[in-house]
Amino acid sequence: MAYAINKKIISYKVISNEDKINAEQAKAEAQLQDRESMHENVARPEILFGSTYKIKTPQSEHAMYITINDMILNMDTEYEERRPYEVFINSKNMEHFQWVLALTRVISAVFRKGGDSCFLVEELKSVFDPKGGYFKKGGVFMPSLVAEIGCTIEQHLKKIGMLQTHDMDTHQKKFLAAKRKEFEAIHNDTSTLDESGSFPAKALLCGKCQTKALVLMDGCMTCLNCGDSKCG
């Protein structure tokens, strides 16, 4: 494209590829500085987008409902992201009211503080009840009610993209399905822990995924849920 020069040329400069790269980097840094991020001074909008999860444990006849509300940052831009802002826990069971209320306030404060709040998941999941844990539907062991709350928060953070989901590939799923059929054929045991028919009733608790899916196959303990094996 040609340009008409109507004024006297005083000076000129040839723009190199390096200058173009530096200019693009400076532009990107400026955009990052203008990007909205979560911090404790962010004003709560009138409307938040939330999800409610149900927890039903064998320790109580009443279910517990966990609601996590999210804030949309940098809406309608390439930097749009969803971040948790607050959490509410409700139940008819008033036995745990005091510590549940305190827990929701602390978790909400951590969410609003900004930064990486994913560490909460592991902290909550590592809490053990001195009276003993319980098995939830599907044979997954929960060491405490607090740990299940942590698992619920983990599920939500994966849903909004803050945590990555590490699913098994198709080959691994087919391999585990074949192993399960082989185990059932050998032991003639098709009974399961629940109506979904997840894992054999004789399965033990896996130390990696905390699911009752560990069976002895080919002289090695193998988990039919996550594929973990002591033989590698």
Side-chain angles (χ1 to χ4, degrees):
M1 182 180 294
Y3 295 93
I5 301 176
N6 300 320
K7 296 181 180 180
K8 183 179 180 181
I9 298 176
I10 300 176
S11 64
Y12 69 91
K13 178 182 179 182
V14 178
I15 299 178
S16 64
N17 290 333
E18 184 178 353
D19 292 331
K20 292 181 180 179
I21 294 174
N22 292 336
E24 292 175 356
Q25 289 178 345
K27 183 179 179 180
E29 290 176 359
Q31 290 177 341
L32 286 174
Q33 291 178 355
D34 294 336
R35 186 174 66 176
E36 183 182 18
S37 60
M38 180 66 74
H39 55 83
E40 56 189 346
N41 295 322
V42 172
R44 187 189 190 282
E46 292 294 327
I47 299 176
L48 292 176
F49 302 88
S51 301
T52 300
Y53 304 87
K54 179 181 178 180
I55 290 179
K56 182 66 175 71
T57 76
Q59 297 178 340
S60 174
E61 61 177 325
H62 299 294
M64 181 175 286
Y65 297 89
I66 302 177
T67 299
I68 305 176
N69 291 329
D70 304 322
M71 178 180 285
I72 308 298
L73 302 174
N74 308 293
M75 186 176 292
D76 298 327
T77 70
E78 61 178 315
Y79 299 111
E80 180 175 309
E81 58 183 0
R82 188 165 173 167
R83 291 292 179 264
Y85 185 83
E86 61 191 10
V87 59
F88 299 101
I89 301 178
N90 184 41
S91 176
K92 290 182 180 180
N93 185 1
M94 301 298 292
E95 178 184 358
H96 308 299
F97 175 79
Q98 183 174 346
W99 68 260
V100 165
L101 178 61
L103 188 64
T104 58
R105 292 187 177 184
V106 171
I107 294 175
S108 298
V110 173
F111 283 159
R112 290 192 290 268
K113 191 73 174 179
D116 186 5
S117 56
C118 296
F119 72 93
L120 279 173
V121 170
E122 293 304 321
E123 292 295 332
L124 295 175
K125 288 171 64 177
S126 62
V127 175
F128 289 79
D129 189 340
K131 296 180 181 179
Y134 55 88
F135 285 95
K136 60 185 296 186
K137 187 176 181 180
V140 180
F141 178 73
M142 286 294 145
S144 66
L145 178 57
V146 176
E148 187 159 6
I149 293 174
C151 289
T152 303
I153 294 176
E154 180 181 35
Q155 178 184 351
H156 184 77
L157 296 185
K158 288 180 178 179
K159 176 182 176 182
I160 65 176
M162 284 187 67
L163 282 175
Q164 298 298 319
T165 302
H166 301 288
D167 292 330
M168 291 183 290
D169 57 31
T170 305
H171 176 73
Q172 290 175 313
K173 291 179 179 179
K174 289 183 178 179
F175 174 78
L176 289 179
K179 284 295 184 181
R180 179 187 168 184
K181 289 182 179 179
E182 182 182 344
F183 179 86
E184 292 176 349
I186 295 174
H187 296 274
N188 193 24
D189 181 12
T190 57
S191 59
T192 56
L193 291 173
D194 54 34
E195 64 276 6
S196 64
S198 299
F199 307 108
K202 295 180 179 179
L204 302 178
L205 182 66
C206 174
K208 183 177 181 180
C209 65
Q210 296 299 309
T211 303
K212 206 170 182 181
L214 195 66
V215 297
L216 180 64
M217 296 205 64
D218 301 325
C220 185
M221 298 302 293
T222 303
C223 179
L224 297 177
N225 180 58
C226 68
D228 184 57
S229 174
K230 293 186 177 180
C231 302

